[in-house]
DNA sequence: AATAAAGCCAACCGCAATCGA
DNA sequence: CTCGATTGCGGTTGGCTTTAT
């Protein structure tokens, strides 16, 4: 019963993706948009299963992904959201714009869990095991009466709300962005705050470079997927030797300089290649669509670009965020409205939480009570 | 310098939910 | 309604890098 894993099929490649594969995939999606993953391997000639293609896209190549180290604000957010939501990484990721669930999950497993257990051992943190693994397990104890359960639930909600407030109040600049996104979701007519430039990282994601690459060659060959691919392929061939040289030693695996927590990434077009690696081979035009600042990432591009993503039939995806949960997105195909909403629609609880955080309104327990 | 251990993270696997014929 | 296909999600792993001995 059931299909065999795609990896069991013949001719399906596994393991790390190569730049060639990345470009094939990205250029195909550039042309056709994400979705219909089943057709991707067939149409691109990639020896990967559709699932692998989708994963590669959503976790790595998709523009707008923020990579590199997590700042304090994000870290706090993750800790408190994890306490609130449990290991629902996709849900947590929806509150951390441009972070992938995989990234958050990895960060939690490799850093935060240890960090929390350490601080717990020192009696420093407020988070106990219940907080970490989910909203207090006591609150759902089967023996509790309805009244007790409601009180416990309210307590939990207060705790979660306080935790979220605490997390969100750490960094005013960040909260500006965050709150504006939330607010724009709740009240679309509100003008969002200007994008906040993060100076913490000079990291340029692979998606950044790929997007720039594609913008570059799209100009050259605007209509033909196959000819475009050939153009890319020839360029790949041109630089293939360099790919095999030191410039690309870090394509796979960890970084060669500094610790991974310093916001670097093994991918081509990462921090290292930003100064003479793959990216420069293509002589990208860094001024396309956004500021020419050397510190510009796709984050900024995503913030700056709000107009139509369709350009002469080409699929543009500057700030398209496919993986962020969106209850309006009934299928995985491109939803234009989605482009303008970084934040997913909020549940009533979430609205309540963020209303309280961003507007500093009086407690709205009545609203909460009406929810049940 | 060599080796082992630990850290890290991209990618895989399997299950569940959803879609559509 | 059923069933196969597709997609989303969370847990886990393999392999590379870094650090310690």
């Amino acid at each position: 019963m059931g299909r065999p894993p795609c990896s069991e099929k013949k001719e399906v490649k596994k393991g790390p993706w190569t730049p060639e594969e990345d470009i094939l995939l990205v250029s195909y999606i550039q042309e056709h948009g994400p979705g219909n993953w089943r057709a991707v391997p067939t149409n691109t000639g990639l020896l990967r299963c559709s699932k692998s293609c989708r994963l590669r896209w959503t976790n790595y190549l998709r523009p707008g992904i923020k990579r590199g180290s997590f700042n304090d604000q994000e870290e706090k957010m993750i800790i408190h959201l994890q306490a609130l939501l449990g290991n629902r990484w996709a849900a947590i990721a929806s509150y951390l714009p441009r972070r992938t669930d995989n990234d958050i999950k990895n960060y939690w497993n490799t850093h935060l869990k240890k960090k929390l257990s350490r601080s717990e051992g020192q009696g420093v943190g407020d988070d106990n095991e219940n907080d970490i693994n989910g909203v207090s397990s006591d609150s759902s104890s089967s023996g509790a009466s309805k009244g007790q359960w409601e009180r416990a639930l309210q307590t939990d909600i207060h705790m979660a709300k306080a935790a979220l407030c605490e997390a969100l109040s750490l960094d005013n600049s960040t909260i500006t962005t965050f709150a504006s996104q939330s607010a724009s979701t709740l009240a679309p007519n509100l003008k969002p705050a200007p994008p906040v430039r993060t100076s913490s990282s000079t990291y340029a994601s692979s998606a950044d470079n790929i997007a720039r690459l594609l913008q570059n060659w799209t100009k050259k060959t605007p209509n033909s997927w196959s000819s475009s691919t050939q153009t890319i392929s020839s360029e790949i061939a041109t630089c293939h030797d360099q790919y095999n040289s030191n410039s690309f030693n870090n394509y796979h695996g960890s970084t060669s300089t500094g610790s991974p927590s310093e916001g670097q990434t093994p991918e081509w077009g990462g921090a290292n290649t930003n100064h003479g690696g793959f990216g420069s081979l293509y002589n990208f035009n860094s001024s396309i669509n956004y500021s020419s600042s050397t510190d510009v990432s796709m984050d900024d591009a995503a913030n700056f670009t709000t107009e139509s993503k369709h350009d002469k039939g080409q699929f543009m995806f500057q700030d398209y965020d496919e993986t962020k949960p969106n209850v309006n997105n009934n299928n995985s195909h491109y939803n234009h409205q989605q482009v303008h909403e970084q934040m997913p629609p909020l549940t009533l609880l979430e609205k309540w939480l963020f209303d309280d955080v961003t507007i500093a309104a009086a407690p709205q327990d009545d609203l909460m009570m009406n929810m049940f």
Side-chain angles (χ1 to χ4, degrees):
Chain A
M1 179 65 187
R3 287 171 304 163
C6 60
S7 57
E8 288 179 15
K9 295 175 186 172
K10 289 180 180 178
E11 304 284 337
V12 173
K13 187 181 172 188
K14 292 170 72 174
W17 282 63
T18 65
E20 292 88 342
E21 289 176 312
D22 280 347
I23 290 174
L24 276 171
L25 178 59
V26 172
S27 52
Y28 177 82
I29 293 171
Q30 157 95 358
E31 185 84 6
H32 298 93
N36 194 16
W37 295 106
R38 186 79 176 160
V40 172
T42 308
N43 293 342
T44 59
L46 284 167
L47 301 177
R48 298 275 182 175
C49 69
S50 55
K51 198 172 181 176
S52 182
C53 293
R54 180 175 56 82
L55 211 59
R56 181 64 179 172
W57 171 256
T58 54
N59 283 338
Y60 220 97
L61 300 174
R62 176 170 53 87
I65 291 177
K66 182 181 178 184
R67 305 194 60 81
S69 61
F70 287 71
N71 59 33
D72 289 345
Q73 164 69 21
E74 290 173 315
E75 197 174 297
K76 279 273 186 184
M77 284 281 290
I78 293 169
I79 291 169
H80 291 302
L81 285 168
Q82 205 278 343
L84 180 63
L85 301 169
N87 290 358
R88 292 169 58 202
W89 304 116
I92 293 171
S94 70
Y95 293 98
L96 288 159
R98 299 179 210 100
R99 293 289 190 182
T100 67
D101 52 356
N102 206 37
D103 249 5
I104 293 169
K105 180 175 61 183
N106 282 335
Y107 189 67
W108 171 264
N109 287 329
T110 57
H111 294 91
L112 296 181
K113 236 170 26 178
K114 295 171 190 170
K115 199 171 179 177
L116 282 176
S117 59
R118 267 202 307 271
S119 62
E120 218 176 291
Q122 295 167 354
V124 172
D126 293 327
D127 296 312
N128 58 33
E129 197 58 36
N130 284 340
D131 292 335
I132 293 170
N133 292 330
V135 175
S136 175
S137 58
D138 290 345
S139 64
S140 58
S141 80
S142 55
S145 68
K146 184 169 182 281
Q148 286 172 327
W149 182 86
E150 282 179 349
R151 275 194 296 275
L153 179 61
Q154 280 192 24
T155 303
D156 290 339
I157 289 167
H158 279 303
M159 288 172 62
K161 197 165 70 169
L164 199 55
C165 284
E166 183 190 338
L168 290 172
S169 62
L170 281 179
D171 180 348
N172 284 340
S173 64
T174 309
I175 197 173
T176 301
T177 305
F178 188 78
S180 72
Q181 287 169 332
S182 302
S184 66
T185 304
L186 298 175
N189 292 333
L190 289 176
K191 188 177 180 181
V196 177
R197 199 169 289 277
T198 56
S199 59
S200 61
S201 173
T202 56
Y203 171 81
S205 70
S206 62
D208 184 6
N209 281 330
I210 291 173
R212 287 149 79 182
L213 164 66
L214 288 168
Q215 283 172 328
N216 212 21
W217 66 258
T218 296
K219 287 180 180 176
K220 289 186 287 186
T221 55
N223 291 321
S224 168
W225 144 250
S226 57
S227 65
S228 300
T229 306
Q230 286 169 6
T231 305
I232 293 296
S233 299
S234 65
E235 292 186 358
I236 290 169
T238 303
C239 67
H240 202 103
D241 288 344
Q242 296 183 55
Y243 166 65
N244 291 324
S245 74
N246 286 339
S247 296
F248 303 100
N249 281 348
N250 295 323
Y251 182 75
H252 300 304
S254 301
T255 60
S256 62
T257 59
S259 69
S261 64
E262 287 172 339
Q264 296 178 359
T265 168
E267 293 302 306
W268 63 276
N272 296 335
T273 56
N274 196 28
H275 303 292
F278 208 141
S280 64
L281 288 171
Y282 287 108
N283 192 23
F284 290 136
N285 179 357
S286 63
S287 65
I288 294 172
N289 276 353
Y290 47 87
S291 161
S292 59
S293 161
T294 55
D295 195 20
V296 165
S297 68
M298 282 304 290
D299 297 351
D300 304 288
N303 281 328
F304 292 154
T305 307
T306 55
E307 60 261 37
S308 171
K309 302 304 166 202
H310 294 286
D311 179 19
K312 297 176 182 176
Q314 295 290 316
F315 189 86
M316 307 299 284
F317 41 55
Q318 266 94 351
D319 58 355
Y320 167 59
D321 193 349
E322 185 196 12
T323 61
K324 299 300 181 186
N326 185 338
V327 296
N328 290 334
N329 190 14
N330 291 328
N331 58 40
S332 63
H333 296 300
Y334 178 71
N335 179 350
H336 196 221
Q337 184 183 359
Q338 195 177 349
V339 165
H340 299 285
E341 294 183 0
Q342 294 287 322
M343 293 293 291
L346 302 176
T347 66
L348 199 52
L349 172 60
E350 292 161 344
K351 284 181 181 179
W352 172 73
L353 285 166
F354 287 121
D355 277 348
D356 210 33
V357 169
T358 57
I359 306 174
Q364 302 176 44
D365 290 346
D366 291 344
L367 173 59
M368 277 305 300
M369 293 309 296
N370 290 335
M371 292 168 57
F372 300 105

